[in-house]
Amino acid sequence: MPAAIPSFARVLILAAVLVPTFAVADTPDKKPYRSAKEIIDAAPASAWRDLDPANTLYMQLPAGRVVIELAPGFAPNHVANIKALAQGGFWDGTSIYRSQDNFVVQFGDADADDPAKAKHFPANAKDKLPAEFTRNSEGVAFDKLPDVDGWAPQVGFADGFPVARDPKTSTMWMTHCYGIVGAGRNNDPASSTGAELYVVIGQAPRALDRNLTLVGRVVKGMELLSAIPRGPDPMGFYEKPEQRTPIVSIKLASDVPESERTPLQLLRTDIQAFRDATEARRNRVDDFYQTPAGHIDLCNVPLPTRDPMVKADAGK
Amino acid sequence: MPAAIPSFARVLILAAVLVPTFAVADTPDKKPYRSAKEIIDAAPASAWRDLDPANTLYMQLPAGRVVIELAPGFAPNHVANIKALAQGGFWDGTSIYRSQDNFVVQFGDADADDPAKAKHFPANAKDKLPAEFTRNSEGVAFDKLPDVDGWAPQVGFADGFPVARDPKTSTMWMTHCYGIVGAGRNNDPASSTGAELYVVIGQAPRALDRNLTLVGRVVKGMELLSAIPRGPDPMGFYEKPEQRTPIVSIKLASDVPESERTPLQLLRTDIQAFRDATEARRNRVDDFYQTPAGHIDLCNVPLPTRDPMVKADAGK
């Protein structure tokens, strides 16, 4: 009877991905294998960092809240402008007006093309910023992955974000991984303002690295963005305004009463437990895996979050 | 006035991605740069191949039709079983019972775990197949990408699918790129039947390569799968049956009257136009790009399709 087979098949692709069973590995140093989840669960409280409310955006959609961690170290001018836009209520009542499959959702003022309808910026927001495609990497703590990367000389983490680094030019830049938030621009490299933002929802389009200013990362609520029905246009725009997803508001977390903030911590990327968890993913040893990859791609490294009152979500 | 800036910003991230403007490049061989779209639009009719109806699945959802190209060269036993399951109506009335963000949707018999409710296989479908994680690469035409890949010694295309290859072991395998279809299994490597299938909807989980049998690729209708609301369970399962997406039917295209088939052609991957288009994406020269990537990842190479009666969708 075949009935039992689909059953196991359904259970087990899960098992492989989220709850690898414990197994004693015959590794050279004879340490027993621990799964990424086990390593992360055992990490001390100091392994976790709080989000800085002054650099956290809450995007309120009808379906719930999306939490974005801003990256002032990478895009100080854009982040300052985004804060001014949020504090001025710029996005309240705007929309997600684009969802292109395997690429990005984009949001902001859908009427920006129409001078008669376009929203004005708050008084303290700027309409002209420098491009912030890369930053000087000197003195910036960098946790390098040992893995080869085709797009950049080095990849790893800085300020908790996935980044690339070029020692020859002493530059560093954020990478277009899933959930990264970037600022749309014109052909003029210095034409983004942070008012029109996009979020990567597919295979990392890393050809865009160093060509746009990246401003942060969605740390909670990605599923509210990634599952938005795609627009019929080849670029994912909607035909009718009512197809857009309304944005109730985008606020700085520091402007929201503490009791209404989302409790959320992120695993630090500059600690041994993070490195160990990444290695456990790179070379899995469990009952499911026949062939450990021996490699991990920068954009495949989960950046675990947890509600400090509950338990960690170690990710896949 | 800032109004014009968001406007341009909105237009231009598109322009960069889908409609690079023509520009004369100062390349070493002095050939003018042509965008991938221009190259593909200029390709002769012979650059396109028809889908083989005997190896094409039509998955009918309430929202429309998903077209899957099967890969008999990579998984002959699974593909034969999938055909038997489709011809026996196995999936008609089943569902997409899982949608896990940045990972997979999975479909088949949601009641497979319950022996009392599980669907029986059609008489000519098998409940035991060999694992088909890799194939012998000898004699298999392989169009190698020049780009480095961290997961495998070589990557490229075979039979029109994205694949990896190891010359040392003379093996080749399909890779877990966006839209690839795989067969869920138990810990036993030979426990997949093809009845429970998953489709990659996020960053390529290539650590799964060579650990599961991949059976084909979604060539049309991905947006009907990728935008399905995620399940609340950490692994994307739904709490209630009514949250699942019903599958009206899955049929072999050859069992559908010709007049009801989806007209669809795929660009061949073994031709110069495909290589040229890939190179045009690897090193973009247009008014938007400040820094061409000089690289492309296997899973970032679009595999263009077209309705032969209309025009090509060259992809991003």
Side-chain angles (χ1 to χ4, degrees), chain B:
Chain B
M1 295 304 299
I5 302 297
S7 157
F8 284 115
R10 184 158 82 92
V11 169
L12 275 141
I13 178 167
L14 308 182
V17 170
L18 263 177
V19 268
T21 52
F22 187 85
V24 178
D26 200 18
T27 46
D29 59 359
K30 302 291 175 196
K31 276 190 199 162
Y33 176 80
R34 291 187 304 154
S35 72
K37 183 179 188 311
E38 288 168 320
I39 292 164
I40 292 166
D41 285 350
S46 60
W48 298 88
R49 64 186 173 92
D50 293 313
L51 283 173
D52 173 6
N55 283 301
T56 301
L57 290 180
Y58 290 160
M59 177 193 219
Q60 191 62 42
L61 301 177
R65 179 183 279 179
V66 176
V67 182
I68 295 170
E69 181 180 26
L70 295 170
F74 286 86
N77 291 282
H78 280 73
V79 167
N81 218 41
I82 287 167
K83 291 182 187 184
L85 289 161
Q87 294 190 304
F90 175 76
W91 287 292
D92 304 0
T94 64
S95 67
I96 300 170
Y97 50 71
R98 176 190 187 192
S99 171
Q100 181 176 339
D101 197 52
N102 192 20
F103 190 41
V104 297
V105 292
Q106 193 168 331
F107 62 90
D109 179 11
D111 292 324
D113 283 341
D114 183 344
K117 291 188 195 168
K119 281 190 92 156
H120 291 266
F121 278 17
N124 57 341
K126 296 178 181 170
D127 58 7
K128 182 75 181 170
L129 301 176
E132 299 178 292
F133 300 165
T134 64
R135 68 189 283 189
N136 188 321
S137 62
E138 285 166 37
V140 180
F142 173 64
D143 300 290
K144 187 179 170 297
L145 281 178
D147 309 83
V148 67
D149 181 83
W151 305 95
Q154 300 180 343
V155 290
F157 300 89
D159 298 352
F161 294 96
V163 303
R165 185 169 175 266
D166 185 352
K168 284 188 189 162
T169 55
S170 294
T171 54
M172 181 185 282
W173 56 94
M174 280 175 66
T175 51
H176 278 82
C177 294
Y178 193 88
I180 290 289
V181 183
R185 69 163 170 92
N186 198 329
N187 277 352
D188 173 3
S191 58
S192 55
T193 65
E196 309 302 306
L197 295 172
Y198 63 91
V199 181
V200 174
I201 61 164
Q203 177 71 18
R206 290 195 48 204
L208 295 176
D209 290 358
R210 289 184 288 178
N211 285 292
L212 288 139
T213 298
L214 299 181
V215 302
R217 191 171 73 82
V218 174
V219 292
K220 189 176 169 69
M222 252 318 279
E223 70 284 0
L224 302 179
L225 301 174
S226 58
I228 289 174
R230 309 316 185 214
D233 173 287
M235 297 163 191
F237 286 94
Y238 301 102
E239 282 172 343
K240 300 169 189 170
E242 59 267 29
Q243 293 172 313
R244 299 175 190 145
T245 301
I247 296 173
V248 179
S249 64
I250 298 182
K251 291 186 200 294
L252 266 181
S254 51
D255 290 336
V256 170
E258 271 194 59
S259 62
E260 293 170 27
R261 292 185 196 161
T262 300
L264 196 67
Q265 292 185 314
L266 280 80
L267 192 70
R268 299 174 62 104
T269 53
D270 58 351
I271 57 168
Q272 194 57 40
F274 181 75
R275 285 173 215 122
D276 290 348
T278 304
E279 174 56 23
R281 296 179 195 282
R282 191 182 282 119
N283 286 296
R284 291 201 187 197
V285 179
D286 60 37
D287 292 340
F288 184 85
Y289 273 79
Q290 300 290 309
T291 305
H295 173 79
I296 195 161
D297 186 273
L298 174 68
C299 292
N300 285 107
V301 179
L303 297 172
T305 61
R306 72 172 184 181
D307 177 342
M309 306 304 290
V310 194
K311 59 180 179 177
D313 171 12
K316 315 191 276 295

Side-chain angles (χ1 to χ4, degrees), chain A residues 58-220:
Chain A
Y58 290 158
M59 177 193 221
Q60 191 64 40
L61 302 177
R65 179 184 279 179
V66 177
V67 182
I68 295 169
E69 181 179 26
L70 296 170
F74 285 85
N77 291 282
H78 280 72
V79 167
N81 217 43
I82 286 166
K83 291 182 187 184
L85 289 162
Q87 294 191 305
F90 175 77
W91 287 292
D92 305 358
T94 63
S95 67
I96 301 169
Y97 50 71
R98 175 190 188 194
S99 172
Q100 181 177 339
D101 196 53
N102 193 18
F103 192 41
V104 298
V105 293
Q106 192 168 332
F107 62 91
D109 180 10
D111 292 324
D113 282 342
D114 182 344
K117 291 186 193 171
K119 281 190 92 156
H120 292 266
F121 277 17
N124 58 341
K126 296 177 182 171
D127 59 7
K128 181 74 182 169
L129 301 176
E132 298 177 294
F133 300 164
T134 65
R135 68 189 284 190
N136 187 321
S137 62
E138 285 168 35
V140 181
F142 173 62
D143 300 290
K144 186 178 169 297
L145 280 178
D147 309 83
V148 67
D149 182 82
W151 306 94
Q154 300 179 343
V155 290
F157 300 89
D159 299 354
F161 293 97
V163 304
R165 186 169 174 265
D166 185 352
K168 284 189 189 161
T169 56
S170 295
T171 53
M172 182 185 282
W173 56 94
M174 281 175 67
T175 49
H176 278 81
C177 294
Y178 193 88
I180 290 290
V181 183
R185 70 164 170 90
N186 199 328
N187 276 352
D188 173 3
S191 58
S192 56
T193 65
E196 309 301 307
L197 295 172
Y198 62 91
V199 181
V200 174
I201 61 163
Q203 176 70 19
R206 290 194 49 203
L208 295 175
D209 290 358
R210 290 184 288 178
N211 285 294
L212 288 139
T213 298
L214 299 182
V215 303
R217 190 171 73 83
V218 174
V219 292
K220 191 177 169 67

Side-chain angles (χ1 to χ4, degrees), chain A residues 31-51:
Chain A
K31 275 189 199 166
Y33 176 81
R34 291 187 304 154
S35 72
K37 182 178 188 313
E38 288 168 321
I39 292 165
I40 293 165
D41 285 350
S46 60
W48 298 88
R49 64 186 175 88
D50 293 314
L51 283 173

